mmCIF file of all heavy atoms in Angstrom:
data_model
loop_
_atom_site.group_PDB
_atom_site.id
_atom_site.type_symbol
_atom_site.label_atom_id
_atom_site.label_comp_id
_atom_site.label_asym_id
_atom_site.label_seq_id
_atom_site.Cartn_x
_atom_site.Cartn_y
_atom_site.Cartn_z
ATOM 1 N N ALA A 1 115.663 -43.050 68.358
ATOM 2 C CA ALA A 1 115.463 -42.790 66.933
ATOM 3 C C ALA A 1 115.918 -43.979 66.092
ATOM 4 O O ALA A 1 115.246 -44.383 65.133
ATOM 5 C CB ALA A 1 116.213 -41.526 66.532
ATOM 6 N N GLU A 2 117.058 -44.561 66.444
ATOM 7 C CA GLU A 2 117.579 -45.707 65.695
ATOM 8 C C GLU A 2 116.663 -46.918 65.825
ATOM 9 O O GLU A 2 116.389 -47.615 64.844
ATOM 10 C CB GLU A 2 118.980 -46.061 66.184
ATOM 11 C CG GLU A 2 119.632 -47.184 65.406
ATOM 12 C CD GLU A 2 121.039 -47.509 65.886
ATOM 13 O OE1 GLU A 2 121.494 -46.867 66.849
ATOM 14 O OE2 GLU A 2 121.679 -48.394 65.281
ATOM 15 N N GLU A 3 116.161 -47.162 67.031
ATOM 16 C CA GLU A 3 115.264 -48.298 67.262
ATOM 17 C C GLU A 3 113.949 -48.119 66.499
ATOM 18 O O GLU A 3 113.426 -49.076 65.919
ATOM 19 C CB GLU A 3 114.982 -48.449 68.754
ATOM 20 C CG GLU A 3 116.171 -48.950 69.563
ATOM 21 C CD GLU A 3 115.937 -48.859 71.057
ATOM 22 O OE1 GLU A 3 115.025 -48.101 71.486
ATOM 23 O OE2 GLU A 3 116.666 -49.532 71.814
ATOM 24 N N ARG A 4 113.406 -46.895 66.517
ATOM 25 C CA ARG A 4 112.142 -46.640 65.816
ATOM 26 C C ARG A 4 112.312 -46.796 64.310
ATOM 27 O O ARG A 4 111.435 -47.316 63.625
ATOM 28 C CB ARG A 4 111.641 -45.248 66.160
ATOM 29 C CG ARG A 4 110.281 -44.891 65.569
ATOM 30 C CD ARG A 4 109.189 -44.887 66.627
ATOM 31 N NE ARG A 4 108.812 -46.173 67.135
ATOM 32 C CZ ARG A 4 108.229 -46.370 68.341
ATOM 33 N NH1 ARG A 4 107.991 -45.340 69.148
ATOM 34 N NH2 ARG A 4 107.891 -47.573 68.733
ATOM 35 N N ALA A 5 113.449 -46.337 63.768
ATOM 36 C CA ALA A 5 113.714 -46.475 62.337
ATOM 37 C C ALA A 5 113.832 -47.954 61.956
ATOM 38 O O ALA A 5 113.298 -48.382 60.920
ATOM 39 C CB ALA A 5 114.986 -45.719 61.968
ATOM 40 N N LYS A 6 114.526 -48.719 62.775
ATOM 41 C CA LYS A 6 114.659 -50.154 62.530
ATOM 42 C C LYS A 6 113.295 -50.836 62.600
ATOM 43 O O LYS A 6 112.976 -51.711 61.780
ATOM 44 C CB LYS A 6 115.606 -50.766 63.566
ATOM 45 C CG LYS A 6 115.857 -52.254 63.376
ATOM 46 C CD LYS A 6 116.823 -52.780 64.422
ATOM 47 C CE LYS A 6 117.049 -54.285 64.257
ATOM 48 N NZ LYS A 6 117.965 -54.809 65.295
ATOM 49 N N GLU A 7 112.478 -50.409 63.564
ATOM 50 C CA GLU A 7 111.131 -50.961 63.719
ATOM 51 C C GLU A 7 110.280 -50.681 62.482
ATOM 52 O O GLU A 7 109.584 -51.563 61.981
ATOM 53 C CB GLU A 7 110.481 -50.328 64.951
ATOM 54 C CG GLU A 7 108.990 -50.615 65.111
ATOM 55 C CD GLU A 7 108.352 -49.590 66.017
ATOM 56 O OE1 GLU A 7 108.329 -49.817 67.241
ATOM 57 O OE2 GLU A 7 107.873 -48.541 65.496
ATOM 58 N N LEU A 8 110.358 -49.450 61.961
ATOM 59 C CA LEU A 8 109.574 -49.100 60.779
ATOM 60 C C LEU A 8 109.993 -49.947 59.582
ATOM 61 O O LEU A 8 109.142 -50.430 58.819
ATOM 62 C CB LEU A 8 109.736 -47.614 60.450
ATOM 63 C CG LEU A 8 109.106 -47.131 59.142
ATOM 64 C CD1 LEU A 8 107.628 -47.484 59.087
ATOM 65 C CD2 LEU A 8 109.303 -45.633 58.975
ATOM 66 N N GLY A 9 111.295 -50.133 59.408
ATOM 67 C CA GLY A 9 111.764 -50.975 58.322
ATOM 68 C C GLY A 9 111.227 -52.397 58.437
ATOM 69 O O GLY A 9 110.777 -52.988 57.446
ATOM 70 N N ALA A 10 111.249 -52.938 59.643
ATOM 71 C CA ALA A 10 110.745 -54.294 59.873
ATOM 72 C C ALA A 10 109.238 -54.366 59.661
ATOM 73 O O ALA A 10 108.713 -55.352 59.126
ATOM 74 C CB ALA A 10 111.109 -54.752 61.284
ATOM 75 N N TYR A 11 108.540 -53.314 60.074
ATOM 76 C CA TYR A 11 107.086 -53.271 59.919
ATOM 77 C C TYR A 11 106.705 -53.291 58.434
ATOM 78 O O TYR A 11 105.803 -54.027 58.018
ATOM 79 C CB TYR A 11 106.530 -52.017 60.584
ATOM 80 C CG TYR A 11 105.017 -51.949 60.595
ATOM 81 C CD1 TYR A 11 104.277 -52.598 61.580
ATOM 82 C CD2 TYR A 11 104.327 -51.236 59.625
ATOM 83 C CE1 TYR A 11 102.892 -52.553 61.579
ATOM 84 C CE2 TYR A 11 102.948 -51.184 59.612
ATOM 85 C CZ TYR A 11 102.228 -51.839 60.606
ATOM 86 O OH TYR A 11 100.857 -51.790 60.596
ATOM 87 N N CYS A 12 107.399 -52.481 57.644
ATOM 88 C CA CYS A 12 107.134 -52.457 56.208
ATOM 89 C C CYS A 12 107.444 -53.801 55.552
ATOM 90 O O CYS A 12 106.680 -54.295 54.717
ATOM 91 C CB CYS A 12 107.947 -51.345 55.541
ATOM 92 S SG CYS A 12 107.387 -49.676 55.957
ATOM 93 N N MET A 13 108.553 -54.409 55.943
ATOM 94 C CA MET A 13 108.929 -55.695 55.372
ATOM 95 C C MET A 13 107.956 -56.801 55.783
ATOM 96 O O MET A 13 107.812 -57.805 55.066
ATOM 97 C CB MET A 13 110.359 -56.061 55.761
ATOM 98 C CG MET A 13 111.424 -55.201 55.097
ATOM 99 S SD MET A 13 111.239 -55.092 53.288
ATOM 100 C CE MET A 13 111.416 -56.809 52.816
ATOM 101 N N ALA A 14 107.277 -56.624 56.919
ATOM 102 C CA ALA A 14 106.265 -57.600 57.325
ATOM 103 C C ALA A 14 105.129 -57.642 56.303
ATOM 104 O O ALA A 14 104.522 -58.687 56.065
ATOM 105 C CB ALA A 14 105.726 -57.258 58.713
ATOM 106 N N HIS A 15 104.843 -56.500 55.689
ATOM 107 C CA HIS A 15 103.849 -56.469 54.617
ATOM 108 C C HIS A 15 104.326 -57.298 53.422
ATOM 109 O O HIS A 15 103.556 -58.056 52.822
ATOM 110 C CB HIS A 15 103.632 -55.027 54.150
ATOM 111 C CG HIS A 15 102.569 -54.294 54.908
ATOM 112 N ND1 HIS A 15 101.237 -54.631 54.837
ATOM 113 C CD2 HIS A 15 102.649 -53.222 55.747
ATOM 114 C CE1 HIS A 15 100.533 -53.798 55.595
ATOM 115 N NE2 HIS A 15 101.365 -52.944 56.156
ATOM 116 N N ILE A 16 105.597 -57.132 53.072
ATOM 117 C CA ILE A 16 106.150 -57.830 51.912
ATOM 118 C C ILE A 16 106.178 -59.336 52.147
ATOM 119 O O ILE A 16 105.842 -60.136 51.259
ATOM 120 C CB ILE A 16 107.569 -57.314 51.585
ATOM 121 C CG1 ILE A 16 107.537 -55.813 51.293
ATOM 122 C CG2 ILE A 16 108.169 -58.081 50.416
ATOM 123 C CD1 ILE A 16 106.661 -55.426 50.124
ATOM 124 N N LYS A 17 106.563 -59.737 53.336
ATOM 125 C CA LYS A 17 106.716 -61.154 53.651
ATOM 126 C C LYS A 17 105.385 -61.855 53.925
ATOM 127 O O LYS A 17 105.331 -63.085 54.016
ATOM 128 C CB LYS A 17 107.632 -61.323 54.870
ATOM 129 C CG LYS A 17 109.059 -60.818 54.626
ATOM 130 C CD LYS A 17 109.874 -60.875 55.910
ATOM 131 C CE LYS A 17 111.282 -60.334 55.699
ATOM 132 N NZ LYS A 17 112.070 -60.319 56.957
ATOM 133 N N LYS A 18 104.323 -61.062 54.068
ATOM 134 C CA LYS A 18 103.028 -61.643 54.437
ATOM 135 C C LYS A 18 102.458 -62.545 53.346
ATOM 136 O O LYS A 18 101.747 -63.501 53.624
ATOM 137 C CB LYS A 18 102.036 -60.522 54.757
ATOM 138 C CG LYS A 18 100.716 -61.012 55.319
ATOM 139 C CD LYS A 18 99.856 -59.863 55.819
ATOM 140 C CE LYS A 18 98.565 -60.389 56.453
ATOM 141 N NZ LYS A 18 97.738 -59.302 56.981
ATOM 142 N N LYS A 19 102.764 -62.240 52.097
ATOM 143 C CA LYS A 19 102.221 -62.996 50.980
ATOM 144 C C LYS A 19 103.293 -63.896 50.366
ATOM 145 O O LYS A 19 104.462 -63.520 50.285
ATOM 146 C CB LYS A 19 101.689 -62.054 49.900
ATOM 147 C CG LYS A 19 100.591 -61.114 50.382
ATOM 148 C CD LYS A 19 99.303 -61.859 50.666
ATOM 149 C CE LYS A 19 98.192 -60.879 51.028
ATOM 150 N NZ LYS A 19 96.906 -61.584 51.272
ATOM 151 N N ASP A 20 102.891 -65.076 49.939
ATOM 152 C CA ASP A 20 103.830 -65.972 49.246
ATOM 153 C C ASP A 20 103.116 -66.654 48.088
ATOM 154 O O ASP A 20 101.967 -66.328 47.776
ATOM 155 C CB ASP A 20 104.428 -66.999 50.207
ATOM 156 C CG ASP A 20 103.361 -67.785 50.963
ATOM 157 O OD1 ASP A 20 102.198 -67.782 50.504
ATOM 158 O OD2 ASP A 20 103.680 -68.400 51.981
ATOM 159 N N GLY A 21 103.799 -67.566 47.447
ATOM 160 C CA GLY A 21 103.207 -68.262 46.314
ATOM 161 C C GLY A 21 102.940 -67.314 45.157
ATOM 162 O O GLY A 21 103.706 -66.383 44.894
ATOM 163 N N PRO A 22 101.816 -67.488 44.440
ATOM 164 C CA PRO A 22 101.514 -66.628 43.290
ATOM 165 C C PRO A 22 101.236 -65.178 43.680
ATOM 166 O O PRO A 22 101.281 -64.291 42.827
ATOM 167 C CB PRO A 22 100.261 -67.289 42.689
ATOM 168 C CG PRO A 22 99.648 -68.048 43.819
ATOM 169 C CD PRO A 22 100.794 -68.532 44.643
ATOM 170 N N ASN A 23 100.949 -64.948 44.962
ATOM 171 C CA ASN A 23 100.672 -63.591 45.445
ATOM 172 C C ASN A 23 101.878 -62.961 46.138
ATOM 173 O O ASN A 23 101.743 -61.942 46.826
ATOM 174 C CB ASN A 23 99.483 -63.603 46.415
ATOM 175 C CG ASN A 23 98.195 -64.008 45.738
ATOM 176 O OD1 ASN A 23 97.914 -63.582 44.617
ATOM 177 N ND2 ASN A 23 97.407 -64.852 46.396
ATOM 178 N N ALA A 24 103.057 -63.563 45.978
ATOM 179 C CA ALA A 24 104.262 -63.063 46.634
ATOM 180 C C ALA A 24 104.558 -61.631 46.197
ATOM 181 O O ALA A 24 104.380 -61.256 45.038
ATOM 182 C CB ALA A 24 105.446 -63.959 46.311
ATOM 183 N N ARG A 25 105.008 -60.819 47.161
ATOM 184 C CA ARG A 25 105.290 -59.409 46.900
ATOM 185 C C ARG A 25 106.786 -59.163 46.749
ATOM 186 O O ARG A 25 107.605 -59.761 47.440
ATOM 187 C CB ARG A 25 104.747 -58.546 48.038
ATOM 188 C CG ARG A 25 103.234 -58.489 48.100
ATOM 189 C CD ARG A 25 102.731 -57.855 49.376
ATOM 190 N NE ARG A 25 101.284 -57.700 49.365
ATOM 191 C CZ ARG A 25 100.543 -57.468 50.451
ATOM 192 N NH1 ARG A 25 101.123 -57.365 51.633
ATOM 193 N NH2 ARG A 25 99.237 -57.341 50.347
ATOM 194 N N GLN A 26 107.110 -58.257 45.857
ATOM 195 C CA GLN A 26 108.484 -57.791 45.679
ATOM 196 C C GLN A 26 108.501 -56.297 45.981
ATOM 197 O O GLN A 26 107.743 -55.527 45.390
ATOM 198 C CB GLN A 26 108.952 -58.042 44.246
ATOM 199 C CG GLN A 26 110.345 -57.498 43.956
ATOM 200 C CD GLN A 26 110.710 -57.646 42.485
ATOM 201 O OE1 GLN A 26 109.870 -58.004 41.668
ATOM 202 N NE2 GLN A 26 111.951 -57.364 42.163
ATOM 203 N N LEU A 27 109.358 -55.867 46.901
ATOM 204 C CA LEU A 27 109.385 -54.459 47.290
ATOM 205 C C LEU A 27 109.979 -53.600 46.184
ATOM 206 O O LEU A 27 111.093 -53.846 45.719
ATOM 207 C CB LEU A 27 110.203 -54.276 48.572
ATOM 208 C CG LEU A 27 110.345 -52.821 49.064
ATOM 209 C CD1 LEU A 27 108.984 -52.242 49.437
ATOM 210 C CD2 LEU A 27 111.304 -52.752 50.248
ATOM 211 N N TYR A 28 109.239 -52.587 45.770
ATOM 212 C CA TYR A 28 109.753 -51.601 44.821
ATOM 213 C C TYR A 28 110.512 -50.519 45.583
ATOM 214 O O TYR A 28 111.688 -50.270 45.340
ATOM 215 C CB TYR A 28 108.601 -50.991 44.033
ATOM 216 C CG TYR A 28 109.018 -49.823 43.161
ATOM 217 C CD1 TYR A 28 109.792 -50.019 42.024
ATOM 218 C CD2 TYR A 28 108.645 -48.522 43.489
ATOM 219 C CE1 TYR A 28 110.185 -48.953 41.231
ATOM 220 C CE2 TYR A 28 109.023 -47.452 42.698
ATOM 221 C CZ TYR A 28 109.801 -47.668 41.577
ATOM 222 O OH TYR A 28 110.186 -46.611 40.799
ATOM 223 N N ARG A 29 109.849 -49.881 46.527
ATOM 224 C CA ARG A 29 110.488 -48.851 47.342
ATOM 225 C C ARG A 29 109.540 -48.464 48.472
ATOM 226 O O ARG A 29 108.331 -48.629 48.366
ATOM 227 C CB ARG A 29 110.827 -47.622 46.487
ATOM 228 C CG ARG A 29 111.710 -46.582 47.194
ATOM 229 C CD ARG A 29 112.366 -45.653 46.183
ATOM 230 N NE ARG A 29 113.371 -46.365 45.399
ATOM 231 C CZ ARG A 29 113.471 -46.284 44.078
ATOM 232 N NH1 ARG A 29 112.634 -45.546 43.385
ATOM 233 N NH2 ARG A 29 114.414 -46.951 43.449
ATOM 234 N N ILE A 30 110.118 -47.959 49.564
ATOM 235 C CA ILE A 30 109.333 -47.415 50.675
ATOM 236 C C ILE A 30 109.453 -45.895 50.623
ATOM 237 O O ILE A 30 110.557 -45.358 50.695
ATOM 238 C CB ILE A 30 109.818 -47.950 52.028
ATOM 239 C CG1 ILE A 30 109.695 -49.483 52.084
ATOM 240 C CG2 ILE A 30 109.035 -47.313 53.178
ATOM 241 C CD1 ILE A 30 110.403 -50.111 53.276
ATOM 242 N N PHE A 31 108.337 -45.219 50.475
ATOM 243 C CA PHE A 31 108.314 -43.762 50.440
ATOM 244 C C PHE A 31 107.885 -43.265 51.823
ATOM 245 O O PHE A 31 106.800 -43.620 52.296
ATOM 246 C CB PHE A 31 107.344 -43.257 49.383
ATOM 247 C CG PHE A 31 107.729 -43.631 47.974
ATOM 248 C CD1 PHE A 31 107.376 -44.873 47.450
ATOM 249 C CD2 PHE A 31 108.443 -42.756 47.178
ATOM 250 C CE1 PHE A 31 107.726 -45.223 46.159
ATOM 251 C CE2 PHE A 31 108.806 -43.101 45.876
ATOM 252 C CZ PHE A 31 108.444 -44.342 45.374
ATOM 253 N N TYR A 32 108.729 -42.451 52.443
ATOM 254 C CA TYR A 32 108.446 -41.961 53.794
ATOM 255 C C TYR A 32 108.221 -40.448 53.756
ATOM 256 O O TYR A 32 109.072 -39.698 53.274
ATOM 257 C CB TYR A 32 109.604 -42.305 54.740
ATOM 258 C CG TYR A 32 109.372 -41.817 56.153
ATOM 259 C CD1 TYR A 32 108.571 -42.542 57.026
ATOM 260 C CD2 TYR A 32 109.924 -40.621 56.594
ATOM 261 C CE1 TYR A 32 108.330 -42.089 58.310
ATOM 262 C CE2 TYR A 32 109.689 -40.159 57.881
ATOM 263 C CZ TYR A 32 108.889 -40.897 58.725
ATOM 264 O OH TYR A 32 108.634 -40.434 60.003
ATOM 265 N N TYR A 33 107.079 -39.995 54.290
ATOM 266 C CA TYR A 33 106.681 -38.587 54.236
ATOM 267 C C TYR A 33 106.629 -38.004 55.645
ATOM 268 O O TYR A 33 105.983 -38.564 56.543
ATOM 269 C CB TYR A 33 105.305 -38.440 53.581
ATOM 270 C CG TYR A 33 105.226 -39.105 52.232
ATOM 271 C CD1 TYR A 33 104.937 -40.467 52.137
ATOM 272 C CD2 TYR A 33 105.452 -38.400 51.065
ATOM 273 C CE1 TYR A 33 104.876 -41.105 50.903
ATOM 274 C CE2 TYR A 33 105.387 -39.023 49.822
ATOM 275 C CZ TYR A 33 105.099 -40.377 49.755
ATOM 276 O OH TYR A 33 105.043 -41.013 48.533
ATOM 277 N N ASP A 34 107.291 -36.876 55.829
ATOM 278 C CA ASP A 34 107.337 -36.272 57.163
ATOM 279 C C ASP A 34 107.741 -34.809 57.036
ATOM 280 O O ASP A 34 107.906 -34.289 55.920
ATOM 281 C CB ASP A 34 108.331 -37.032 58.052
ATOM 282 C CG ASP A 34 107.916 -37.024 59.520
ATOM 283 O OD1 ASP A 34 107.237 -36.067 59.952
ATOM 284 O OD2 ASP A 34 108.287 -37.975 60.238
ATOM 285 N N CYS A 35 107.904 -34.150 58.180
ATOM 286 C CA CYS A 35 108.400 -32.770 58.232
ATOM 287 C C CYS A 35 109.513 -32.688 59.266
ATOM 288 O O CYS A 35 109.449 -33.354 60.315
ATOM 289 C CB CYS A 35 107.293 -31.798 58.642
ATOM 290 S SG CYS A 35 105.949 -31.661 57.461
ATOM 291 N N GLU A 36 110.521 -31.901 58.979
ATOM 292 C CA GLU A 36 111.524 -31.639 60.001
ATOM 293 C C GLU A 36 110.885 -30.823 61.120
ATOM 294 O O GLU A 36 109.957 -30.042 60.878
ATOM 295 C CB GLU A 36 112.712 -30.887 59.399
ATOM 296 C CG GLU A 36 113.548 -31.737 58.467
ATOM 297 C CD GLU A 36 114.822 -31.040 58.037
ATOM 298 O OE1 GLU A 36 114.929 -29.810 58.244
ATOM 299 O OE2 GLU A 36 115.724 -31.724 57.503
ATOM 300 N N PRO A 37 111.356 -30.992 62.355
ATOM 301 C CA PRO A 37 110.733 -30.286 63.492
ATOM 302 C C PRO A 37 110.934 -28.779 63.411
ATOM 303 O O PRO A 37 111.880 -28.291 62.805
ATOM 304 C CB PRO A 37 111.448 -30.889 64.701
ATOM 305 C CG PRO A 37 112.765 -31.348 64.172
ATOM 306 C CD PRO A 37 112.493 -31.826 62.776
ATOM 307 N N SER A 38 110.021 -28.060 64.050
ATOM 308 C CA SER A 38 110.073 -26.598 64.037
ATOM 309 C C SER A 38 111.160 -26.069 64.974
ATOM 310 O O SER A 38 111.409 -26.642 66.042
ATOM 311 C CB SER A 38 108.715 -26.024 64.465
ATOM 312 O OG SER A 38 108.767 -24.621 64.571
#
């Protein structure tokens, strides 16, 4: 669970870091949607 959470954070940040220069991105927030298990 810890590794997957860290991976998701890195994956999202890869989107932010993908652009630079005049198209550089600044992260506002990551919204995560899910359900607790039954």
Side-chain angles (χ1 to χ4, degrees):
E2 184 179 1
E3 289 170 342
R4 184 107 289 157
K6 182 179 178 181
E7 170 200 271
L8 173 55
Y11 186 83
C12 290
M13 290 309 299
H15 271 293
I16 301 300
K17 297 174 182 177
K18 187 171 183 178
K19 301 290 185 178
D20 54 18
N23 295 318
R25 291 169 175 164
Q26 176 186 9
L27 178 63
Y28 172 71
R29 190 162 291 133
I30 300 169
F31 296 84
Y32 180 81
Y33 307 85
D34 212 332
C35 295
E36 290 188 346
S38 175

